[in-house]
Amino acid sequence: VVNNFMDAGHEPGKGLYFADGKRKVDYVLVYQYRRPSSLHESPGQHRLSVISNGSFPRVGSKEPEGVKEEHAEVVLDMGPADPAEGEKIMIREEFEANLREAGLEMERDNEHKVHGQGFIRVHAPWQVLSREAEFLKIKVPTKKVCLNSYTLCRCQLSFIISVDPFQPNIPHLQQQSRTKFLSHSFSRDKLHLVLMYLYSIRRNNGHFLYAHAVQPELFSLFQLLHDEWARYGAIFKYQPLDLIRNYFGEKIGLYFAWLGVYTHLLALASLVGIIVFLYGCFTIDSNIPSLEMCDETQNFTMCPLCDRACDYWHLSTACGTARASHLFDNPATVFFAIFMSLWAVMFLEHWKRRQNSLNYSWNMTGMEEEEEHPRPKYETLLLQKRQRKRRNRKKNKSEVSGLLMIKLKKLTWRDRLPGYFINISSILLMFGVTFAAVFGVIMYRITVSALLAMSQDPQIKSNARVTVTATAVIINLVVILILDEIYGSVAVWLTELEIPKTETNFEERLILKAFLLKFMNAYAPIFYVAFFKGRFAGRPGDYVYIFNDYRMEECAPGGCLIELCIQLSIIMLGKQLIQNNVFEIAIPKLKKLFRSLKEKKRAPEERVEQTGRALRQWHLDYNLEPFDGLTPEYMEMIIQFGFVSLFVASFPLAPLFALLNNIIEIRLDAKKFVTELRRPDAVRAKDIGIWYNILSGLGKFSVIINAFVISFTSDFIPRLVYQYMYSETGTMHGFIDHTLSYFNVSHFKAGTAPASSAVTVCRYKDYREPPWSSEPYQFSRQYWAVLAARLAFVILFQNLVMFMGVLVAWVIPDVPKNISEQLKREKTLLVDVFMNEEKEKLQLIQSLFSKEATQTRQQQSPLSQHATEVCLKVSFKVH
């Protein structure tokens, strides 16, 4: 079978092969060992350096040099024996025996050092591969067909591919676009169909396969991935998803396909976000509320921002903040929020279509869920429970004990109850840590604002709010990055306590915990600024204090939306830049440097032995970083998706920065997977699993969040209420004066008023009755009107956007029409193939029977003639 044994032109003893130069190395196991003291090796005894059954020559074959067994006794004196090492050896031997029993062939290195790594090469023979492929129902191509109904379309597609500069330069890409292979679940009874397919490939594409065999360094899969995908020079090319899937498996292939779809659709969102931002730039000089705030003739004297140390100030000094707020708080923002909510739905629907297309092209359409084996820890705890039950019931009858042993087939909720209790309490504790970090930053802003307000330098006073906001966000960013790493480790520990039965259950529970903790960690400061800052600060003369000394902070005169924009932009950009440059580039390089320094500090004799031995590919691969799964990669993108969708109403440029980050992120991940990580195990998968549910939940949650941001954080609703209910001219003139309430400075509490006494009345932003009314400082009618309008907008926005999202999901089918039609046609063609095969079998059987009947008749005809002659002779004699 092709590629199961030595390729043509391969030189024995080199490459990824066993010592016989014929069998390929399919898998490599690595273990740490320490040689025991005074180990006597002989043919009948255990030898650590024995080469297992994989290296022994086959019957009738000549044993190659270098693998002959030496039966002389070897005596080593390596120091005191280690009982734990002996137990590890026994466990390892049992594991290897199970592998050999399953039909795998193994070969190991001789152990020359006192301690180090041992490498076991594993080869899977054809019998094992065919047995497992039939058990897993892996689909394989059986016959190449031409889909006539799509000939013109495919010819046009192949022409576009041949001239498209964005397509990767991969052999057979044009031919693959023209043809389709009928696939069927592998069966050893239908092996001749697979062999016919392989023969047709060799006949039609012999040049490429010959070049691949003779010059593997030019056309190998690894080299193609490196040249056409895992380098920054290919940053504007499409990803070779088929190559990624062939090398890494469907699960990793789906991740990069999902990342590509997400990045492509971010281009549309980025374009609309830029248009919204430019609209704010072009209309900033005609925005009436900003002009009124910047008008010094209005002479709005505002109440102090802090007690005692702060003086009265003029609203015109906040002109810059008001103009900047208009860039993100304008009528186009509402349209953009609706668009992004629909964009999230469109992204998920488009991904479902793309996922189904990949399942079709990767022959995963009929894949069934495989029954997973329990995790080793689960089986260990179950065994311990059985042994504990057996010890507790030794005095009972054996029949009862046997019945109890039969019933103990799984762990119950009582066994997991301590883990659940620790999980709930630990998660609540982590939430408390996150809230404590947010509260600490709030205290920092309050204290630093008061200190800067007491400064004698007018420039420091004027820039106090910007300075405090920027430094507080940077502190938030550092805390988020630190807690992210801590929460990742805590999530793994908590998941282990739950004792999940299978690896899939373990991964899903780990993802949910890690997402919950990291989501709260990343968005808690943003939620505070968007929905809580300034809401509970009180009013002049009745402020809310923390620890009876620190006054709760308020929003800027232009509103909290500009602060939300600063918070979101710094956290998003800082998180992406630091995670990409520090966590994904710098830290792996530091680990590699540390390993090289550690290698130099090894014993001199070990270095001499290492340099004297030719390093094989598995030695080099072992020095790479281990693969930790796709959870960190997905998590990074999911958090980014939250930044793009949840608070996009406050920062329309978020999709643009996400797009620029992802263009680099794809190549960065590709380079990491190809050159810096050990090649992960290929895992079959039909979808991205629980991540799709998280994305769908974030998309629905973003509708609610954006509705509340527009209603309660921005001034969009108060402007509409003023323009259509209170404005005498139907315009925005007088809006600033309408939103400011009056306060009599004589009503300040003792010791909180500024030293200046020239001001009698100051203004503050709120809808309250003036001090001369019958109910001074109570909420006015305007406040309740605005609140009602805000709540009505939230309900209207949510229902409208969700209805439009359902409509978009209904209009876009999950499976592309051409894929569904091709699936139906392929089923018909596949039935025809098997019907023709059965017809040929029947004809062959009939021909065999007819031939046998003819031969029987031919054999019977001479006998009948002879019998006739005998009868005649007898009758003649009688007569």
Side-chain angles (χ1 to χ4, degrees):
V1 179
V2 178
N3 286 337
N4 192 248
F5 285 99
M6 183 178 65
D7 288 330
H10 170 70
E11 182 180 352
K14 294 184 179 180
L16 298 176
Y17 296 88
F18 275 20
D20 58 8
K22 295 182 179 180
R23 285 165 291 173
K24 280 190 170 184
V25 176
D26 297 316
Y27 207 83
V28 179
L29 300 174
V30 187
Y31 62 93
Q32 298 285 338
Y33 70 87
R34 181 178 295 275
R35 301 291 288 272
S37 64
S38 186
L39 177 63
H40 296 264
E41 292 185 353
S42 63
Q45 294 178 345
H46 164 73
R47 294 177 300 148
L48 286 178
S49 59
V50 69
I51 299 178
S52 63
N53 65 335
S55 65
F56 290 116
R58 301 182 179 182
V59 178
S61 64
K62 187 177 179 180
E63 183 176 359
E65 296 182 1
V67 296
K68 294 181 179 180
E69 294 193 59
E70 298 178 2
H71 300 292
E73 185 177 7
V74 180
V75 181
L76 301 173
D77 189 8
M78 296 298 182
D82 187 1
E85 186 66 25
E87 184 179 358
K88 291 180 182 178
I89 294 174
M90 293 176 60
I91 296 174
R92 191 163 62 243
E93 286 178 344
E94 181 182 358
F95 179 73
E96 293 175 13
N98 292 333
L99 293 181
R100 285 192 290 271
E101 185 179 355
L104 299 177
E105 298 175 358
M106 292 182 291
E107 180 184 68
R108 73 163 80 224
D109 287 334
N110 293 326
E111 299 170 356
H112 300 288
K113 298 181 293 184
V114 177
H115 58 85
Q117 293 89 27
F119 294 86
I120 301 177
R121 275 90 64 194
V122 181
H123 171 71
W126 167 251
Q127 294 82 1
V128 176
L129 294 177
S130 59
R131 180 191 68 205
E132 296 300 322
E134 186 172 4
F135 175 74
L136 296 175
K137 298 182 180 179
I138 294 177
K139 286 193 173 183
V140 292
T142 57
K143 184 179 179 181
K144 182 169 68 175
V145 295
C146 179
L147 303 177
N148 296 326
S149 59
Y150 299 99
T151 302
L152 178 61
C153 177
R154 286 179 173 272
C155 291
Q156 294 174 351
L157 177 61
S158 62
F159 173 75
I160 293 173
I161 290 175
S162 62
V163 299
D164 190 355
F166 299 107
Q167 288 290 343
N169 185 19
I170 298 174
H172 291 204
L173 184 61
Q174 183 174 349
Q175 296 183 9
Q176 289 175 2
S177 65
R178 297 174 181 173
T179 59
K180 180 70 176 70
F181 293 94
L182 294 179
S183 300
H184 188 264
S185 298
F186 179 83
S187 174
R188 283 173 283 189
D189 297 334
K190 308 291 183 183
L191 184 59
H192 58 281
L193 296 176
V194 182
L195 295 178
M196 289 172 57
Y197 158 73
L198 293 174
Y199 172 74
S200 66
I201 289 182
R202 281 189 174 273
R203 182 183 62 187
N204 298 328
N205 305 324
H207 175 73
F208 177 73
L209 285 178
Y210 177 78
H212 177 79
V214 177
Q215 294 178 323
E217 68 277 6
L218 296 179
F219 292 97
S220 66
L221 199 58
F222 179 86
Q223 192 66 37
L224 279 173
L225 285 174
H226 182 272
D227 294 341
E228 300 297 327
W229 181 52
R231 62 185 184 90
Y232 293 108
I235 197 170
F236 295 109
K237 289 187 177 182
Y238 296 121
Q239 298 185 88
L241 295 177
D242 290 337
L243 290 186
I244 299 170
R245 174 251 183 175
N246 291 339
Y247 191 77
F248 293 108
E250 286 82 6
K251 189 172 185 179
I252 294 178
L254 284 174
Y255 162 71
F256 282 103
W258 172 83
L259 184 57
V261 170
Y262 173 48
T263 304
H264 287 166
L265 288 181
L266 276 175
L268 176 63
S270 302
L271 178 62
V272 179
I274 292 173
I275 294 174
V276 171
F277 180 76
L278 292 177
Y279 172 83
C281 294
F282 292 147
T283 59
I284 191 171
D285 292 329
S286 59
N287 182 43
I288 296 176
S290 299
L291 295 176
E292 288 184 350
M293 286 188 65
C294 296
D295 188 5
E296 297 182 358
T297 60
Q298 296 281 352
N299 194 23
F300 294 115
T301 302
M302 306 298 294
C303 296
L305 297 175
C306 63
D307 294 343
R308 294 184 299 273
C310 298
D311 201 354
Y312 302 102
W313 56 287
H314 293 288
L315 186 61
S316 59
T317 58
C319 176
T321 304
R323 291 173 63 86
S325 298
H326 178 71
L327 299 176
F328 308 102
D329 188 4
N330 54 69
T333 304
V334 180
F335 160 75
F336 189 57
I338 298 174
F339 169 80
M340 287 303 297
S341 299
L342 298 178
W343 174 88
V345 177
M346 184 176 65
F347 160 60
L348 294 176
E349 293 300 318
H350 184 65
W351 165 243
K352 283 196 290 187
R353 290 170 59 85
R354 179 60 171 157
Q355 183 174 262
N356 289 323
S357 299
L358 290 175
N359 285 335
Y360 169 73
S361 61
W362 292 351
N363 297 324
M364 303 293 291
T365 50
M367 191 188 84
E368 299 178 359
E369 295 292 334
E370 303 171 12
E371 184 178 357
E372 291 188 70
H373 294 288
R375 299 176 68 242
K377 185 174 182 180
Y378 180 90
E379 290 186 323
T380 302
L381 293 175
L382 184 59
L383 179 61
Q384 292 175 356
K385 182 179 179 181
R386 288 173 178 171
Q387 294 174 349
R388 193 163 54 248
K389 290 285 186 180
R390 187 184 297 115
R391 287 194 301 266
N392 294 338
R393 290 173 171 83
K394 278 185 178 180
K395 297 180 180 180
N396 296 345
K397 293 182 180 180
S398 59
E399 292 82 2
V400 178
S401 179
L403 182 61
L404 288 171
M405 296 307 298
I406 293 174
K407 290 182 179 179
L408 288 177
K409 293 183 178 181
K410 63 179 182 179
L411 298 178
T412 62
W413 64 270
R414 293 185 180 86
D415 302 313
R416 296 185 173 96
L417 187 59
Y420 290 152
F421 177 77
I422 297 175
N423 265 263
I424 295 174
S425 57
S426 298
I427 289 175
L428 292 178
L429 177 62
M430 295 301 105
F431 284 174
V433 171
T434 301
F435 295 149
V438 174
F439 181 75
V441 176
I442 293 173
M443 293 301 301
Y444 165 82
R445 279 202 293 255
I446 293 173
T447 54
V448 174
S449 297
L451 291 175
L452 294 179
M454 290 186 292
S455 175
Q456 301 299 324
D457 191 345
Q459 188 173 2
I460 294 178
K461 278 188 174 183
S462 60
N463 297 325
R465 188 178 292 275
V466 177
T467 303
V468 171
T469 301
T471 55
V473 173
I474 293 174
I475 295 174
N476 264 329
L477 174 62
V478 174
V479 172
I480 287 172
L481 294 174
I482 294 174
L483 291 181
D484 256 357
E485 298 301 311
I486 297 175
Y487 288 166
S489 302
V490 170
V492 175
W493 174 66
L494 292 177
T495 308
E496 289 286 356
L497 293 178
E498 288 188 8
I499 323 174
K501 184 176 181 179
T502 62
E503 285 295 336
T504 301
N505 292 338
F506 179 87
E507 185 179 9
E508 290 180 352
R509 297 185 183 192
L510 173 62
I511 290 171
L512 285 176
K513 288 181 185 60
F515 172 74
L516 186 62
L517 293 174
K518 294 190 176 185
F519 178 88
M520 186 63 67
N521 180 43
Y523 296 110
I526 301 175
F527 271 97
Y528 165 74
V529 175
F531 303 120
F532 297 100
K533 185 176 180 180
R535 309 288 175 188
F536 310 101
R539 60 169 180 80
D542 189 22
Y543 286 114
V544 177
Y545 292 88
I546 302 177
F547 304 132
N548 296 324
D549 290 323
Y550 300 99
R551 201 173 92 185
M552 284 291 293
E553 56 182 348
E554 303 176 64
C555 291
C560 281
L561 196 68
I562 184 62
E563 295 186 38
L564 179 62
C565 175
I566 296 172
Q567 185 101 2
L568 182 64
S569 60
I570 293 179
I571 291 179
M572 178 181 176
L573 296 178
K575 203 170 186 297
Q576 291 182 162
L577 291 175
I578 293 177
Q579 281 186 338
N580 286 347
N581 296 313
V582 177
F583 293 164
E584 296 192 15
I585 298 178
I587 291 181
K589 291 187 179 299
L590 290 176
K591 288 182 178 179
K592 188 175 181 180
L593 178 63
F594 176 76
R595 285 197 303 268
S596 61
L597 294 176
K598 187 177 180 180
E599 188 74 14
K600 292 180 181 179
K601 293 180 180 180
R602 290 192 309 166
E605 60 273 10
E606 293 186 20
R607 291 204 304 268
V608 172
E609 186 273 332
Q610 183 74 15
T611 54
R613 184 182 62 178
L615 293 178
R616 306 296 291 272
Q617 186 62 43
W618 47 83
H619 297 110
L620 301 176
D621 291 345
Y622 181 73
N623 293 327
L624 299 175
E625 284 291 315
F627 176 67
D628 295 329
L630 290 172
T631 300
E633 311 299 334
Y634 272 115
M635 190 67 69
E636 180 184 352
M637 291 296 104
I638 294 296
I639 296 297
Q640 182 201 85
F641 179 80
F643 285 126
V644 169
S645 58
L646 290 180
F647 296 95
V648 72
S650 63
F651 189 40
L653 296 180
L656 175 63
F657 290 113
L659 173 65
L660 298 177
N661 172 81
N662 289 4
I663 292 175
I664 301 174
E665 177 74 18
I666 291 176
R667 306 303 162 177
L668 185 65
D669 285 347
K671 188 175 181 63
K672 179 174 65 175
F673 272 80
V674 173
T675 62
E676 297 179 4
L677 295 179
R678 299 173 192 166
R679 183 181 177 184
D681 296 333
V683 179
R684 302 173 71 205
K686 291 180 60 177
D687 49 43
I688 60 175
I690 196 174
W691 295 109
Y692 181 85
N693 299 329
I694 294 176
L695 285 169
S696 179
L698 280 177
K700 294 179 174 60
F701 191 47
S702 67
V703 178
I704 301 173
I705 295 299
N706 282 304
F708 277 92
V709 167
I710 295 172
S711 296
F712 289 90
T713 309
S714 73
D715 284 338
F716 176 75
I717 299 301
R719 289 171 185 170
L720 287 181
V721 172
Y722 174 77
Q723 184 174 1
Y724 293 103
M725 292 182 63
Y726 297 102
S727 176
E728 296 178 356
T729 60
T731 63
M732 293 303 297
H733 290 285
F735 172 72
I736 298 298
D737 183 61
H738 177 76
T739 59
L740 297 178
S741 299
Y742 292 90
F743 179 75
N744 190 340
V745 297
S746 62
H747 296 165
F748 273 120
K749 292 182 179 180
T752 61
S756 175
S757 58
V759 178
T760 58
V761 176
C762 63
R763 309 291 295 273
Y764 62 99
K765 189 174 182 179
D766 206 346
Y767 291 100
R768 292 181 180 269
E769 297 290 344
W772 53 81
S773 70
S774 58
E775 297 179 347
Y777 308 127
Q778 298 298 316
F779 287 119
S780 61
R781 292 181 179 179
Q782 291 88 343
Y783 171 82
W784 299 110
V786 170
L787 179 61
R790 282 172 166 168
L791 295 176
F793 178 83
V794 168
I795 297 173
L796 178 64
F797 184 89
Q798 289 181 16
N799 287 276
L800 175 63
V801 174
M802 287 187 176
F803 170 76
M804 294 175 67
V806 172
L807 184 63
V808 169
W810 177 75
V811 169
I812 303 176
D814 294 345
V815 181
K817 184 178 180 181
N818 62 331
I819 297 295
S820 59
E821 292 179 356
Q822 289 177 19
L823 283 172
K824 294 177 183 177
R825 190 159 187 265
E826 285 186 20
K827 288 181 180 179
T828 304
L829 292 174
L830 199 58
V831 170
D832 293 340
V833 169
F834 288 116
M835 290 293 292
N836 292 332
E837 180 195 358
E838 295 297 327
K839 185 177 180 181
E840 292 174 359
K841 283 184 180 180
L842 183 61
Q843 291 176 353
L844 179 61
I845 293 173
Q846 289 176 351
S847 64
L848 291 176
F849 275 110
S850 62
K851 186 181 296 185
E852 184 178 355
T854 303
Q855 291 177 355
T856 303
R857 285 195 300 270
Q858 290 177 355
Q859 291 175 359
Q860 289 178 352
S861 56
L863 292 174
S864 61
Q865 292 177 2
H866 179 68
T868 304
E869 292 177 357
V870 170
C871 291
L872 289 173
K873 289 179 179 179
V874 170
S875 63
F876 178 76
K877 290 179 180 180
V878 169
H879 288 290

